[in-house]
Amino acid sequence: MTVFSCSLRSAATSILGDANWINGDLEDAQHAYQEAVQISQAAGNIQQTSIYSANLANILLKQGQLPRAARVYSDETEAQRRGEAAGEIGRGAGPGDHLPGVVRGFTG
């Protein structure tokens, strides 16, 4: 599968997560966002991975899975920093920059 195909597939999968979230099906939304993250990571698309990771972490928060949400936020924040340092992405707000206060205590 080409990088472009992976990007489209991850976007479509994330939209499925959005639809599930809107319909109140957080479990299916979580699975869709996890898949979108995996696809975008495999394609090396840091920007998409960041967006989908933030969506996944938000779902985990809604489900009361605070430690897992904090881990996702923390991992993605670190990936953003590595991408910025390597010049792969421009500096900007990443999911860790907007951590809910309750999550900051878990991520340091």
Side-chain angles (χ1 to χ4, degrees):
M1 192 177 309
T2 67
V3 171
F4 181 71
S5 294
C6 286
S7 293
L8 287 177
R9 183 171 176 221
S10 64
T13 304
S14 178
I15 291 169
L16 178 61
D18 295 342
N20 286 321
W21 189 350
I22 289 167
N23 288 321
D25 190 345
L26 300 184
E27 189 69 28
D28 283 347
Q30 176 188 339
H31 292 298
Y33 289 137
Q34 285 172 330
E35 186 177 345
V37 167
Q38 291 169 347
I39 296 166
S40 61
Q41 284 174 334
N45 191 321
I46 296 170
Q47 290 86 356
Q48 279 186 328
T49 301
S50 178
I51 294 165
Y52 307 149
S53 292
N55 291 344
L56 173 59
N58 288 334
I59 288 292
L60 292 170
L61 280 174
K62 286 247 183 225
Q63 293 174 320
Q65 299 183 48
L66 190 57
R68 281 187 67 199
R71 203 166 36 253
V72 170
Y73 278 125
S74 180
D75 291 350
E76 188 49 41
T77 299
E78 185 56 36
Q80 285 276 331
R81 288 187 184 120
R82 285 192 309 270
E84 288 173 357
E88 295 172 359
I89 57 174
R91 298 205 181 277
D97 296 334
H98 305 290
L99 288 176
V102 69
V103 175
R104 284 193 195 101
F106 283 90
T107 61

